Amino acid sequence: FFRGCLLGGAIGDALGLPLENLSLEEIHDTYGETGIQDLILDVTAKTALISDDTQLTAFTVDGLLWADSRARKKGVYAYIPCLFYAYQKWLYTQTGRFADKNYEFLLQGEILRWQELFARRDPGKTCLTALSGSINGKYGTIKNPINSSKGCGAVMRTAPIGLYFWHNPSMAFRMGCEGGAITHGHPDGYLPAGFFAWSIARIIQGDTLMNAYHTGLEELRGWEKHQNTADLLEKAISMAQAKHQTKGVDWNPDVDLAQLGEGWTGDEAMAIAVYCTLAEPNDFSNAVRLAVNHGGDSDSTGAICGNLMGAFHGCLEIPYPWIKDVELSDLLVYGADMLLSASKDR
């Protein structure tokens, strides 16, 4: 299920990447009335390319494993600083530099041997700007926000936090929020990351999707400035429930998704993913197709949906050709196995 989570996110990301910035009309004009249905392989790489969403997810894994190793050796838990330094590695892959020369010790990181991570896939401006300005070990926190961004760049990279802290969903929520605040200072940016990490943790524990989300909402309501995110998530859940109550009669997912936004902000991206998983809870493929075929940030909503569905169903329920064809599948499998081993020993 750890593998399913990370592979599922990469597949949703790769499925949605060709659609990013397209309107629904343009998607239908290009891919037909049903929209995109299968991964598109890059002619040169012969794989379905992932975006910065999956790249940053891989660096989240790297940061958590580094923090875990340090804790075992020194007895000091420094999850958020290690995540920050891992994201500095990502910054290096995208710009060729760190924010501070004092961070050059990070060049020794094993993850930087993966050349695919150096590809620029339209990296998020908020992440680039926030990380580029974080010198002297200073970065965004909840109490001292680095900006007022509520973009989805905080939530789309957070699934590994839920995996690592699956024994403790409350800790997963807090670490998701704090990790998100490194680059995104608005509550609608970092609170969805906490909700996402909680949901992954509860799903790994064996919870249903619906119960994971309902308990996540309860946790969310205990945080300041939660109202916008909570309201949109509740709306997503209600609309998905309505689909099943009417047995799909007159169901128009395009109308529903439009009411949730386009996914550019953290609350919208999380709500769209929640809606898609609940609308198609028994079919990984249908859920991620639904999550990407809308006008907006299709790769991010696809990635979040894929993480959730992969964690819920496991990799055996993901079409094998998609696993085989998606970029960096070997790195994600390795990272998932390492996270599983680390979380077992905690």
Side-chain angles (χ1 to χ4, degrees):
F1 294 92
F2 276 55
R3 288 183 176 185
C5 179
L6 297 189
L7 289 170
I11 289 166
D13 180 15
L15 187 68
L17 184 58
L19 310 184
E20 188 178 27
N21 295 312
L22 297 183
S23 67
L24 187 59
E25 182 180 1
E26 289 171 328
I27 291 172
H28 289 165
D29 287 344
T30 305
Y31 299 100
E33 284 304 307
T34 57
I36 197 167
Q37 296 293 298
D38 204 354
L39 294 179
I40 296 175
L41 304 189
D42 180 74
V43 174
T44 303
K46 308 298 183 184
T47 59
L49 303 181
I50 49 91
S51 77
D52 61 322
D53 297 26
T54 302
Q55 290 176 337
L56 277 163
T57 298
F59 281 100
T60 300
V61 173
D62 180 66
L64 290 169
L65 293 175
W66 185 24
D68 185 82
S69 176
R70 282 172 52 90
R72 293 174 194 279
K73 293 177 181 178
K74 301 181 179 181
V76 178
Y77 290 89
Y79 294 109
I80 302 306
C82 286
L83 285 175
F84 166 70
Y85 285 125
Y87 298 150
Q88 280 291 323
K89 295 179 191 178
W90 173 79
L91 178 68
Y92 177 81
T93 67
Q94 302 299 294
T95 66
R97 60 178 177 79
F98 298 105
D100 191 319
K101 287 188 176 181
N102 291 329
Y103 303 157
E104 290 182 356
F105 71 93
L106 297 170
L107 287 170
Q108 301 173 16
E110 183 178 349
I111 194 171
L112 295 179
R113 298 177 184 176
W114 297 81
Q115 288 302 310
E116 295 94 331
L117 292 173
F118 285 77
R120 285 180 62 93
R121 304 281 165 73
D122 194 23
K125 292 180 180 178
T126 297
C127 288
L128 288 173
T129 302
L131 292 169
S132 295
S134 297
I135 61 174
N136 296 323
K138 296 181 179 179
Y139 45 83
T141 66
I142 293 172
K143 290 185 177 181
N144 295 294
I146 196 167
N147 54 36
S148 60
S149 176
K150 55 181 178 180
C152 68
V155 63
M156 53 74 165
R157 66 188 188 225
T158 301
I161 295 177
L163 294 177
Y164 180 78
F165 290 104
W166 73 270
H167 295 286
N168 189 341
S170 292
M171 179 64 80
F173 196 109
R174 176 167 293 280
M175 289 295 105
C177 290
E178 292 184 6
I182 291 172
T183 55
H184 290 69
H186 196 286
D188 292 344
Y190 64 75
L191 286 177
F195 176 87
F196 186 30
W198 170 285
S199 300
I200 292 291
R202 290 295 294 251
I203 290 168
I204 292 296
Q205 286 185 357
D207 237 341
T208 64
L209 293 169
M210 186 65 80
N211 200 51
Y213 301 152
H214 277 309
T215 56
L217 277 169
E218 292 175 8
E219 183 78 9
L220 174 62
R221 292 188 188 101
W223 286 68
E224 293 183 1
K225 301 179 181 179
H226 67 270
Q227 200 63 53
N228 288 341
T229 296
D231 287 350
L232 200 59
L233 289 169
E234 288 173 343
K235 185 175 183 179
I237 292 169
S238 295
M239 288 195 300
Q241 286 177 315
K243 180 240 181 179
H244 296 295
Q245 289 167 355
T246 61
K247 298 182 179 179
V249 176
D250 297 326
W251 178 50
N252 189 332
D254 294 342
V255 173
D256 286 354
L257 290 170
Q259 293 184 52
L260 298 175
E262 296 184 338
W264 298 109
T265 60
D267 54 342
E268 290 180 359
M270 192 70 243
I272 289 171
V274 163
Y275 170 81
C276 294
T277 62
L278 294 178
E280 295 286 355
N282 300 317
D283 192 308
F284 175 91
S285 302
N286 286 345
V288 294
R289 286 176 180 135
L290 182 60
V292 302
N293 282 296
H294 65 88
D297 196 356
S298 296
D299 57 328
S300 295
T301 53
I304 298 167
C305 177
N307 287 140
L308 291 164
M309 291 295 286
F312 185 59
H313 288 287
C315 60
L316 294 181
E317 295 298 320
I318 301 174
Y320 177 71
W322 284 3
I323 293 176
K324 177 177 64 69
D325 289 338
V326 75
E327 187 179 28
L328 286 179
S329 59
D330 48 356
L331 174 61
L332 296 171
V333 167
Y334 172 75
D337 291 349
M338 293 292 288
L339 274 181
L340 175 60
S341 177
S343 68
K344 280 182 175 179
D345 294 338
R346 286 185 64 244

